[in-house]
C-alpha cells in the first residue's frame, strides 16, 4: 500500500505522517511539502491513497487531486483541512474522505476503513531473495536487481536477515559502518544509502517490501520469496544449504553456525 501525504506546513506534515505510521504501519508512506514533488512521485509509482492539505501556496489540494487522478483514476483522495468551505469541491471530485483539523488517529483510522476504492494487493512475491551462498536479489522475471551502491544492497540484506523485525536507523548504520561514530557526516551518507536502496526497489516496483516506521524500517517477509525463510519454515529438506549464508557479509557469519546446527539436529 502506497500513501502520500502533502502539506506545505512542516509541523502539520510531520504530525500526520506520525499518525499514519501508527494507523497503517505496513504502508509505504512518502511525505511532501511541495505539491509538484508529490505529483512527480505519483507519475513514477502507483499511489493508492493521498492525504492532501487543501490550502497550499504552490498548488492547492483540489487542483493537485485532479492531477493525481490522472495518474491513477482509482486513487483514494482524502482531504485534510481546517476549513469546511471546500467540502462541495471534494464531493464533486468523488474524494474518498474529508478530515477536518486537528487530525487524530481515530479520524485517520475511520477514513482508512471506508476507502472509496479497495487497495489492490499482490499475491505474488515482489522479489526473489537468495541468502544461501552470496546474497542476491532478483526481480520476478529473474533479472538481478541493480543496487547503485554496495552499501544499499548490504542494508537490504541486513533487513532480510532480521526477518521482519523493526530495525532502528542506528542499528542498521552500526552494521554498515562497523560501529564507527554515527556523526553528522555519516548520518548524511546513511540517508543517501537508504535513498539509493529505495530507488532501486521503486524502479522494480518493489518498494512495498520495506515497511517504514519513525526512524526505523523492516522487511515485509510476505512480499519476498526467500530461500532462508523457506528453510526456517519448512525444514532442512526444503533448500540446499551448503554451509554459506550471505557469504560476502562478515556480520552474517554467526547465522552459519545456527543453520548448521539445525541441519545436524
Amino acid at each position: 500500500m502506497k500513501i502520500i501525504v502533502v502539506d506545505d506546513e512542516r509541523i502539520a506534515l510531520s504530525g500526520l505522517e506520525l499518525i499514519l505510521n501508527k494507523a497503517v504501519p505496513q504502508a509505504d508512506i512518502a511525505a511532501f511539502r511541495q505539491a509538484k514533488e508529490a505529483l512527480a512521485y505519483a507519475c513514477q509509482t502507483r499511489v493508492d491513497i493521498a492525504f492532501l492539505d487543501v490550502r497550499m501556496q504552490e498548488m492547492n489540494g483540489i487542483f493537485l487531486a485532479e492531477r493525481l487522478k490522472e495518474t491513477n483514476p482509482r486513487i483514494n483522495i482524502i482531504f485534510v483541512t481546517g476549513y469546511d468551505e471546500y467540502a462541495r469541491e471534494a464531493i464533486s471530485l468523488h474524494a474518498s474522505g474529508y478530515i477536518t483539523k486537528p487530525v487524530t488517529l481515530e479520524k485517520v483510522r475511520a477514513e482508512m476503513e471506508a476507502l472509496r476504492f479497495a487497495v489492490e494487493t499482490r499475491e505474488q512475491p515482489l522479489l526473489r531473495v537468495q541468502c544461501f551462498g552470496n546474497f542476491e536479489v532478483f526481480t520476478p522475471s529473474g533479472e538481478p536487481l541493480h543496487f547503485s551502491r554496495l552499501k544499499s544492497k548490504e542494508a537490504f540484506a541486513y533487513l532480510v536477515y532480521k526477518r521482519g523485525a523493526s530495525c532502528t536507523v542506528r542499528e542498521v548504520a552500526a552494521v554498515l559502518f562497523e560501529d564507527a561514530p554515527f556523526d553528522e557526516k555519516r548520518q548524511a551518507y546513511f540517508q543517501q544509502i537508504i535513498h539509493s536502496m529505495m530507488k532501486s526497489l521503486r524502479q522494480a516496483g518493489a518498494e512495498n517490501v520495506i515497511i517504514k516506521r519513525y526512524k526505523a524500517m523492516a522487511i515485509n517477509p510476505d512480499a519476498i520469496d526467500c530461500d532462508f525463510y523457506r528453510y526456517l519454515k519448512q525444514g532442512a529438506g526444503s533448500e540446499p544449504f551448503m554451509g554459506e549464508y550471505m557469504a560476502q557479509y562478515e556480520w552474517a557469519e554467526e547465522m552459519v553456525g545456527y543453520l548448521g546446527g539445525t541441519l545436524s539436529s
Side-chain angles (χ1 to χ4, degrees):
M1 179 188 300
K2 303 183 188 72
I3 300 175
I4 61 172
V5 187
V6 189
D7 195 318
D8 58 3
E9 295 183 4
R10 180 179 57 82
I11 295 177
L13 181 67
S14 298
L16 180 51
E17 187 179 9
L18 285 173
I19 290 174
L20 280 168
N21 275 310
K22 293 179 181 179
V24 278
Q26 75 279 11
D28 179 11
I29 301 169
F32 303 92
R33 290 186 64 190
Q34 295 188 353
K36 63 181 181 180
E37 292 182 356
L39 186 58
Y41 175 84
C43 288
Q44 295 177 354
T45 186
R46 183 184 177 90
V47 175
D48 300 302
I49 307 168
F51 285 80
L52 310 178
D53 183 37
V54 176
R55 283 192 173 182
M56 293 185 288
Q57 294 182 359
E58 175 200 4
M59 182 191 303
N60 71 53
I62 299 295
F63 183 71
L64 176 58
E66 293 174 344
R67 299 293 303 277
L68 288 171
K69 287 176 73 69
E70 293 174 2
T71 68
N72 175 16
R74 294 180 61 83
I75 188 172
N76 292 282
I77 302 292
I78 300 174
F79 290 110
V80 182
T81 180
Y83 308 90
D84 291 328
E85 60 193 84
Y86 297 99
R88 180 174 298 178
E89 292 177 88
I91 293 172
S92 67
L93 278 172
H94 304 289
S96 177
Y98 195 92
I99 297 176
T100 54
K101 296 180 180 179
V103 181
T104 65
L105 181 59
E106 291 71 22
K107 290 179 181 179
V108 169
R109 282 176 172 167
E111 294 298 339
M112 292 298 298
E113 292 173 0
L115 294 175
R116 182 178 182 86
F117 300 109
V119 177
E120 297 179 4
T121 58
R122 298 189 182 189
E123 295 183 359
Q124 296 298 321
L126 300 180
L127 296 172
R128 180 172 67 84
V129 177
Q130 172 186 301
C131 294
F132 296 155
N134 280 344
F135 177 80
E136 299 294 345
V137 185
F138 304 91
T139 66
S141 63
E143 294 293 323
L145 183 64
H146 174 68
F147 291 90
S148 59
R149 296 172 181 265
L150 291 178
K151 288 291 186 183
S152 296
K153 184 177 181 179
E154 186 174 1
F156 187 74
Y158 185 73
L159 295 177
V160 172
Y161 170 82
K162 295 295 288 186
R163 290 176 281 164
S166 182
C167 303
T168 66
V169 167
R170 286 187 175 274
E171 177 184 351
V172 180
V175 172
L176 299 182
F177 305 135
E178 299 181 349
D179 294 315
F182 194 48
D183 55 20
E184 186 174 337
K185 183 177 180 179
R186 282 197 174 83
Q187 289 180 40
Y189 180 36
F190 179 80
Q191 290 300 323
Q192 294 175 17
I193 290 171
I194 298 304
H195 176 77
S196 177
M197 179 187 77
M198 294 306 302
K199 182 178 179 181
S200 296
L201 295 173
R202 188 174 299 114
Q203 289 174 341
E207 62 266 42
N208 281 356
V209 303
I210 299 296
I211 300 172
K212 292 182 178 179
R213 299 185 176 93
Y214 180 63
K215 291 187 178 181
M217 64 193 81
I219 197 78
N220 178 2
D222 296 329
I224 63 174
D225 174 23
C226 178
D227 55 358
F228 172 45
Y229 294 175
R230 287 197 302 271
Y231 184 94
L232 294 178
K233 184 176 181 179
Q234 301 174 16
S238 62
E239 295 294 327
F241 174 61
M242 305 300 292
E244 288 189 327
Y245 174 85
M246 297 189 182
Q248 66 266 54
Y249 305 127
E250 291 185 5
W251 50 260
E253 290 180 355
E254 63 181 31
M255 184 60 71
V256 175
Y258 170 78
L259 292 172
T262 62
L263 181 64
S264 59
S265 61

